[in-house]
Every structure is written in structure tokens, then in C-alpha cells.
Amino acid sequence: MRTIPANRLTAVRTVIACGLSFMALGLAASAQAQAPAAPAATAPPANTMNPQELVENSAKRMLAELDKNRPMYAKDPAKLDDLVANVLLPNFDTEYSARLVLGQTWRTATPDQRKRFVDAFYHSLLRNYGNALLNFTADRFVVLPYKGDPSDTTATVRTEVKKSTGESVPVNFSLRKTDTGWKAWDVVIEGISYVKSFRTDFGAEIQQKGLDEVINRLETDGKVRSAAPGTGN
């Protein structure tokens, strides 16, 4: 993935965590759909929300639940994974993102390889970035006014994430209109698209090692985290 300046890394990790489902891209697999529902504020039907409302509502529900039970999630990473799966993932166009990340490889992959890839990718991202959510608070996330046309089929929702220094990092969410409402499919942090970055990285690795080897690595990297008393690891 493209190198990010060291002084930006902490803020970017927090952003990645907030948009985790975005990067998780496939995480739509049935295993996620069957995850136990996490307690969170009731949301209006997703298909009635415009792009800005979708992003804002998801963030508010996530932050409200974290504020209520932050110590619990710090002690039990598996519950944090479930929270992300139930609050954020339903609002992302997972299959579309996964196809873009794998590119031509998606066309030749078997249904089983596709399912394993998106599920393993999701868990790998949670394993690497999930703990950053524990330090994410409402005052650090601002959704800017949406300027799109209601008849559009694609949209960009602009947001800003504030660093501890007060500096703001621009974060743009890309969405597309589907039969079930607006769905997000990419996040662009300081001009860097994570779908494009992951596509470049995975493309090179798949060419060298093959898709199955890449999937095996992701599955190992993203093994379900166990709770460790007093830690978030």
C-alpha cells in the first residue's frame, strides 16, 4: 500500500477503523450476516437515507455504543468485531468492493475462493485496525454538508477526522445507489483510495504466490482474537 507519512499514521489508522467495513469489502459473506446483533441505537431503514445520512447515522450508532461499553470492548475484541459487523457492514456494498479489489482475479476465482477472500480480508483488517476504534470519539469526526443531486446514482460524502493536535484529515466516502438504497464502497484518505491501494498490493502478491496462498495468509493474519484481561489485544 502507498506509504503514509509517519505523522499521519495514527489519524489514518483511526479513520481506517471507522471505515472498516469499507475496507472489509466483502465481508458480506453469510458468516457476517449470522453474527449476533450488537446493542445499538435503532436506525431508520437504510433505503430511506441519503448518502450523508447513511454515513452520519452509522458513525453515530457506532460511537454511541462505544461510549456506553468502551471497557467491555477493550477487554473482548471479538465483541468489537461483532459491533463493526452489525452496525457498519450492512451499509457497504461488499461484493462490489471485493470485485474491484481483486480485479481480473475475481473473474477467474471460484465461488469458494471469492467467499474465503472477502471474509479473510475483513478479519485481517479488524485484527490490524480494530483497536483504533476504542480511541475514536464523536468530537473527532465531522460529516460535511452533502451537495449531491437526489437523482444521482453515485455520491461522495466528505468528512473530516481531527487529530489530537487539532489538525483535520480529509476523508471522502464513495457510495453508489443500489436496489436496497445507498451503499458505500470506498474510502479516500488524503487522496489515497484504499480500494485502489489494496488492488495494487493484492494484484502483485497474487501474481507472485497465487490467490489461494494470499487467502491462506489473510486467514492466518485475521484469526479471531481472544480476550485478554486488561488489554485490547
Side-chain angles (χ1 to χ4, degrees):
M1 186 180 298
R2 198 176 309 176
T3 302
I4 299 172
N7 65 341
R8 302 280 190 183
L9 195 53
T10 299
V12 168
R13 281 176 175 164
T14 302
V15 173
I16 291 175
C18 185
L20 217 33
S21 309
F22 244 117
M23 316 293 78
L25 312 170
L27 331 154
S30 59
Q32 294 309 314
Q34 295 168 3
T42 301
N47 60 2
T48 67
M49 291 188 280
N50 67 34
Q52 178 182 341
E53 291 170 338
L54 188 73
V55 172
E56 198 164 29
N57 180 269
S58 298
K60 285 182 177 179
R61 293 177 65 209
M62 172 68 71
L63 292 168
E65 176 60 23
L66 284 174
D67 284 343
K68 286 193 300 182
N69 297 296
R70 207 171 293 269
M72 177 188 73
Y73 289 116
K75 293 179 180 180
D76 192 343
K79 289 184 178 179
L80 181 61
D81 294 358
D82 286 344
L83 177 65
V84 173
N86 285 280
V87 175
L88 295 182
L89 283 188
N91 298 321
F92 295 101
D93 195 337
T94 56
E95 182 174 324
Y96 181 71
S97 296
R99 289 186 179 190
L100 292 178
V101 168
L102 281 185
Q104 293 184 345
T105 303
W106 179 270
R107 301 174 190 170
T108 58
T110 66
D112 181 65
Q113 286 175 319
R114 293 173 181 176
K115 181 181 182 302
R116 287 180 61 207
F117 172 78
V118 295
D119 192 52
F121 185 29
Y122 165 68
H123 286 292
S124 176
L125 287 166
L126 280 178
R127 182 67 183 88
N128 287 300
Y129 296 110
N131 284 346
L133 277 171
L134 297 173
N135 297 317
F136 195 70
T137 54
D139 61 326
R140 297 179 62 185
F141 184 70
V142 178
V143 180
L144 302 177
Y146 175 60
K147 300 179 179 180
D149 189 304
S151 64
D152 289 342
T153 56
T154 61
T156 298
V157 174
R158 299 174 302 122
T159 74
E160 293 180 347
V161 172
K162 294 181 181 179
K163 299 170 59 179
S164 57
T165 60
E167 181 183 4
S168 294
V169 177
V171 181
N172 295 335
F173 291 90
S174 300
L175 301 92
R176 64 194 293 261
K177 186 177 288 185
T178 72
D179 292 340
T180 56
W182 286 96
K183 300 283 184 181
W185 61 272
D186 191 16
V187 59
V188 179
I189 303 171
E190 295 192 312
I192 300 175
S193 161
Y194 273 76
V195 164
K196 291 180 180 178
S197 296
F198 280 123
R199 181 171 60 201
T200 298
D201 289 350
F202 282 119
E205 188 177 0
I206 289 170
Q207 187 173 21
Q208 292 177 357
K209 303 176 181 178
L211 180 56
D212 282 329
E213 185 63 29
V214 171
I215 292 173
N216 289 337
R217 176 184 65 77
L218 289 173
E219 287 176 336
T220 298
D221 186 46
K223 284 182 179 177
V224 177
R225 296 173 289 171
S226 58
T231 72
N233 298 314

